[in-house]
Amino acid sequence: MAGRRLGSIAAWSVRHAKAVLIACAVIAIAAALGATRLTTDAGTDTLVDSNTSSFKASERVRQLFGDDPVVILVRDDLNNLLQTSNLGRLLRLEGCLAANPPKKVKPLPGACTELAELHPVKLVTGPATFLNQAVIGIQDQFGAGYKDAQQNAQKAGQAAAERAFAQGATKSEAEQVGQAAASQVLQGFQTKLVRIAAQYGLDLKLPTLDNPNFISTVVFDNTKVGGVPKGKLSYLFPNSQSAQIIIRLRPGLSDSERNRALDLIREAVNDTTPRKACAVKGVPEPCFELTDGSYVVSGAPIVVQGLADVLQGALFTLFAAAILVMALTLLLVFRSRLRLLPLVLALGSAAVTFGALSLTGGRLTMASIAVAPVLIGLAVDYAIQLQARFDEEVEGGATGAAAAGQAAMRSAPVVGTACLATAAGFAVLQLSPTPMVRSFGLLLVFGIGVAFVLAMTAGFAALSFRSSRSAASGAGASGRGRARRAPGRLASRAPVRLTALRERAGRSLASSGRGALAVSIANPGRVLVAAIALAVCGWVAGTQTKTVSDIRELVPRDLPAVRDLDELQAATGSSGELDVLVQAPDLTDPALIEWMSRFKQRVLEANGFGGKDPACSQAELCPGPALTDFLTSPERGVTRDRVRALIAALPAYDLRGVITTNPKTGEPGNTANIAFGIRTQSLEAQQDLIDRVRGAIDPPGLGDPPPPGVEVTLAGLPVLASESATDISDSRYWLTLAGLLAVALVLLAVYRSWARALVPLVPIVLATGWSALVLVAMDIPINPMSAALGALVIAISTEFSVILAARYHEERGGGRSIGEALRRAYERTGAAVAASGVTAIAGFAALTASDIRMLRDFGVITVVDLGVALLGVMLVLPAALVWAERSARA
């Protein structure tokens, strides 16, 4: 029934060939144009499910405190950097980046003006801004203290004078007593000023940025020699040779706005144009250029942008190369006229698939970009199978709609079954915990359906024109006689040398294939035992396969963003930020403040930042900003009034990075952030580190949990990336098993026979082990892009296996013996399967020429998987079919 319906569709397509081809071409071109509007998505929602606590916490950090930090490394000796002229340049740069110039002052021309218009930055924390805020804060405290002292002195003098007068003193004597009392109060304030001035080296002068004693006292640890900055300021001054400016972009920026903001930050930092606004003694100078120092712009957003650009560009370039290789391979191995028609149909399928993605508001992730070569490989296979069967019908004398109808009726149900089984294998990816993997599977399921429909309609419509011309030319040549052609091998217009080369290769492959078939027919049990033994070895060895997840090892080492990341980490000891989100009913609760201080201290000490001389260069984690940094010895006891007074005294600018506050009243909110600097390393090592930090929240045996009602969650890009890698690794094997089960259920539903459903799965199951064994032997590690390729093995093996098994059963149904049925199936359908397999392998082989290790390894692993799947079907499926049939008879 299904065969007749599919045959009717093919015949109708041929009868309306021109209309079908025009309609399909218009749809494909329109879809391709729509696909060009797709934008890339490197957001965290592609890595981790949005329902996880880490994702929710990361989103909350972004909304409250800004996006992942962009870091500007300032390379210079701190003694030189903190000189007045350099501090002024830093302050101008930080103001430019924050789009926050002094009042009534226009932003500097160029990038600063555009940053002020776009206003993409939520928070800038830098050395100059920090010191400037310290100056302003102390000046405000001095001014407020002096005013209070005057008021208190006046009150004390009046009270003393009134008491003296009441006790009988004359008015003059009472005034003298009052003046003495007031003078005593002012003298107490003066003593306090002397003490504070001595602490900061101010000599009773208000602090300014051009006071080197004040700057030195704030920045450097006076208990150490050699200009060592204070440990709690390591997020600004990692060591004596560098400083950092930390920029958090606003949440909610579009991809284009974010990319433009990052470009503007780089433009501003690298701006060396002399400007009048920054003139020194009337001579225009660059506004931000240091006397001896230099800047490096890095951080997670910069690296993600750089990687996305290079990976996307490289992938599309290699994709074009892969298409060219597939086209050449089709010309060589596919023995049919219109050899490139399957590739044209495959490209049309890809265009419609990605056009639909654009139409539905989807976006390109690295996984969805990887759909293209997989989909094209499968679509080429479907088209080749139908075209090869059409060739057989033409060889039998049929033409036009009759040939298409017969070919579709006989082969389309088999190809359709393979499509369903393959789609079921990819649909299982919807069970993956990683959104990017789920979208990969869903897009492939849709694309497979489109590929089958196009092959059934546009494919047969295009073939009908070739069939008509062949019939006309054949009639003209009937008087001269016709050479008998092998099924599916129509006359070639290729050059003689190319044809001869192809014929020699075909005879060699045919000879090898007949020999392999003979062995499988004669000794099916031995073939299966050997195949199973190799697969078991592969499954065991596969557990030892190395995983490469350090992003610096997966991309070109000369990538500027990665070079800058390396330089940032080498100079500061860290290159990213790990956030610990603390949500509490009352952030001023002394118990919470004390716990936060203890928690931060034990996390740092447990991860290398501890001892007598802690250093970020030797630690896995470095201290970042936190509310407790502004308190002196908070672990020794604080009061709620002291915390509230501190929050009230601190500038709002300093608080924005560590706690939430009410913008109207300045009252503290209910969320705090404890930040840590983190190294770039393998995702496995990073996950171990994150687990240790998570364990420090309530360490076993220590009895130091957060206060009741307090929720503590880890957040940030390092947490999401590690969690995603762990999810992919953990789901690698069970998703493969689930895919096999889904394929088996589809085949069982179609064939209503356990034997018909399970026998084609034999090479599929075994191919997963063989490919693992080959990868181990080649010492090729898996990476985040290739870790989920078990689904690809299932898909390709299913396609090959189902089609060949169905042709074998068709030949057996025609009364042929086991050996004859196998030989006929492999001679006819096997040639098309081999052609489609070799074409797909050649396409993916183009990826191995990439200098990007992630793509290169992906290409190698895919070639291995496809090659093993093809060999499994060619060598093991015949043995499985023979063994199953003989066992059923026994």
Side-chain angles (χ1 to χ4, degrees), residues 240-330:
S240 61
Q241 299 298 316
S242 61
Q244 293 185 133
I245 302 172
I246 301 170
I247 307 165
R248 285 185 176 272
L249 299 180
R250 284 192 295 110
L253 294 176
S254 66
D255 284 343
S256 59
E257 289 174 332
R258 184 181 297 105
N259 288 335
R260 183 55 186 157
L262 296 177
D263 291 341
L264 289 171
I265 290 172
R266 280 190 291 259
E267 287 179 23
V269 169
N270 296 320
D271 186 3
T272 58
T273 305
R275 301 189 185 279
K276 292 182 179 179
C278 306
V280 176
K281 296 180 180 180
V283 180
E285 287 192 359
C287 293
F288 314 131
E289 191 174 24
L290 302 173
T291 53
D292 296 312
S294 61
Y295 301 107
V296 176
V297 183
S298 189
I302 296 291
V303 175
V304 169
Q305 182 193 43
L307 289 178
D309 290 343
V310 70
L311 287 175
Q312 183 175 348
L315 191 56
F316 280 121
T317 300
L318 290 169
F319 177 53
I323 292 174
L324 178 61
V325 172
M326 292 174 77
L328 293 174
T329 307
L330 275 175

Side-chain angles (χ1 to χ4, degrees), residues 138 141-142 189 191-202:
I138 293 177
Q141 288 184 33
F142 267 61
F189 177 69
T191 301
K192 183 179 178 181
L193 288 183
V194 171
R195 186 171 61 252
I196 295 175
Q199 179 183 353
Y200 290 101
L202 298 178

Side-chain angles (χ1 to χ4, degrees), residues 140-164:
D140 289 344
Q141 288 184 33
F142 267 61
Y146 182 68
K147 183 177 180 181
D148 290 342
Q150 283 184 318
Q151 292 175 349
N152 292 335
Q154 184 178 8
K155 290 179 181 178
Q158 289 177 349
E162 291 174 357
R163 284 194 302 271

